[in-house]
Amino acid sequence: MKKLNVKLIDFWIVIPYILLLGIGVVMVYSASFYNNMMVGGSTTQYLVKQAIFAVIGMVLCFLGYMLKTSILKSRGVITILAGITIPVLLYLVFKGILVPSNKVNGAFAWVNLGLFNYQPLEMAKVFFVMYLALVLSNKRKVLMDVTFKEMLRTNVQQIVILGGTIFLVLIQPDIGGAMVLTLISIVMISASTIPSKLIISMDVSLVAVVGMIVTFLFTFKPGHFAQSYQYQRFLAMQNPFALERGAGAQLVNSFYAISNGGLFGVGLGNSIQKRGYLPEPHTDFILAIISEELGVVGVVIVLLLLATIVLRMLLVGIRSQNVYTSLVMYGVATMMMTQIFLNVGGLLGIIPLTGVTLPFISYGGSSMMILSLALGIVLNLEAEEKYDSIKLR
């Protein structure tokens, strides 16, 4: 029970986390009640669900915090994470191929569990962080002096598992999710003990390959790709007002919401764009509703709370003397930072819409619970280091 010592708890993470959960519950209700009322449903439907997700999230955060670090570092945990991620991704891919009409927003990424929809991508993010942290920390001495060929030869299993998982997410298709997993991998590998020259050559090669693939797709526009939901989102980003009645509708109404809000907003509950103009405003575009109702001030507060958590994890990772702890910190920070960038960049029209949720704010059970678990693990590893340092005094 040593971890219940208040001195071991990082309140720079805990307080912003709790505040974000509260803001998320309130804003999900504000963004969803009007549409629910119009269709004759309960106006508190999403409020109740999001509140339940928040409570479950806090419980998972606590459990992640209380687990023994030896359990977190065990291969058994990695095997369990892989077992509830990769087979489900395979199932979704095959189901999407066999029954393409059941895709939602152009992708087949969820499994209906009754109470909520399970998105294996969220678990894949934690799996990537824990798996890479374990492998890279265990091989830290070997990786200090390794050539590119030796690294490929000795890490075939890891490359196949990670690359295969990213591929399964990509062909759902979920480009945003594949980007998050790829960036987690790049950051954690770059932060490992692999020689800098090798990391730079790997990163440059990866960027070149991705660049060539993207260039090919958007230059030659293969038939299937040109008709895809993802390509339409790219066109919408380039000129949303030209596609206002089609793929650009969400982005245009997001702009209207941001413009309406101004500095201080129109008041909580008074958004116009959530009233049938902005589809599903309680999910990917909830920050646009926050901007309209609470203004720039409200958006800045939310982003500052998120930034506090991310920056705190990066700081703890930099200060840590333990390779495993540092890598977990960098991995979870990258997970959150990438989601924030993809969500905010999408609703501002800087990048194509990816369907990525805003951490702890957007409606969604899988995202809320997995991110909370990840924060619990982060707090756990930090507390363990603090306890060890206190014992050495």
Side-chain angles (χ1 to χ4, degrees), residues 262-265 290-291 294-304:
L263 187 59
F264 297 106
I290 293 175
S291 178
L294 305 180
V296 173
V297 173
V299 172
V300 169
I301 290 172
V302 169
L303 294 181
L304 280 177

Side-chain angles (χ1 to χ4, degrees), residues 84-85 88-89 92 107-113 116-125 169 172-174 176-177 284 339 354-357 363-370:
I84 57 180
T85 301
V88 183
L89 286 172
L92 288 174
F108 208 115
W110 298 269
V111 176
N112 189 342
L113 297 181
F116 67 98
N117 291 327
Y118 168 59
Q119 189 174 12
L121 165 67
E122 301 300 332
M123 188 63 75
K125 295 171 187 175
V169 172
Q172 284 186 348
D174 188 344
D284 309 345
Q339 287 190 213
T354 56
V356 173
T357 57
Y363 173 78
S366 294
S367 177
M368 174 81 74
M369 291 186 283
I370 298 304

Side-chain angles (χ1 to χ4, degrees), residues 274-321:
K274 71 184 181 186
R275 302 184 180 188
Y277 298 103
L278 193 57
E280 298 184 356
H282 56 292
T283 56
D284 309 345
F285 284 87
I286 196 165
L287 194 63
I289 302 303
I290 293 175
S291 178
E292 187 176 11
E293 295 190 347
L294 305 180
V296 173
V297 173
V299 172
V300 169
I301 290 172
V302 169
L303 294 181
L304 280 177
L305 290 171
L306 288 168
T308 300
I309 295 175
V310 171
L311 292 174
R312 184 63 179 177
M313 286 190 286
L314 291 174
L315 181 61
V316 172
I318 292 169
R319 290 177 174 175
S320 176
Q321 301 299 311

Side-chain angles (χ1 to χ4, degrees), residues 26-43:
V26 171
M27 291 312 304
V28 164
Y29 172 62
S30 179
S32 64
F33 81 86
Y34 183 84
N35 286 345
N36 284 340
M37 182 174 63
M38 288 297 98
V39 297
S42 170
T43 56

Side-chain angles (χ1 to χ4, degrees), residues 98-116:
L98 296 174
V99 194
S101 60
N102 286 343
K103 289 187 177 181
V104 178
N105 292 336
F108 208 115
W110 298 269
V111 176
N112 189 342
L113 297 181
L115 294 176
F116 67 98

Side-chain angles (χ1 to χ4, degrees), residues 196-269:
S196 299
K197 290 183 179 179
L198 183 55
I199 289 173
I200 292 171
S201 63
M202 288 170 54
D203 290 347
V204 170
S205 299
L206 180 61
V207 170
V209 170
V210 172
M212 286 189 292
I213 294 172
V214 172
T215 302
F216 171 79
L217 290 174
F218 287 101
T219 300
F220 296 100
K221 300 182 184 65
H224 178 70
F225 175 74
Q227 302 299 321
S228 69
Y229 191 76
Q230 287 69 28
Y231 182 63
Q232 294 303 312
R233 283 183 165 182
F234 176 79
L235 294 178
M237 178 202 71
Q238 290 183 309
N239 194 348
F241 288 94
L243 299 172
E244 187 174 356
R245 296 184 180 277
Q250 287 180 307
L251 198 50
V252 168
N253 284 293
S254 172
F255 291 162
Y256 288 151
I258 295 169
S259 176
N260 291 342
L263 187 59
F264 297 106
V266 297
L268 186 63

Side-chain angles (χ1 to χ4, degrees), residues 60-82:
L60 288 174
C61 183
F62 180 75
L63 292 176
Y65 177 70
M66 294 302 295
L67 280 175
K68 292 182 179 180
T69 52
S70 58
I71 295 176
L72 294 176
K73 297 178 183 179
S74 68
R75 294 190 176 276
V77 168
I78 302 299
T79 302
I80 292 172
L81 291 175

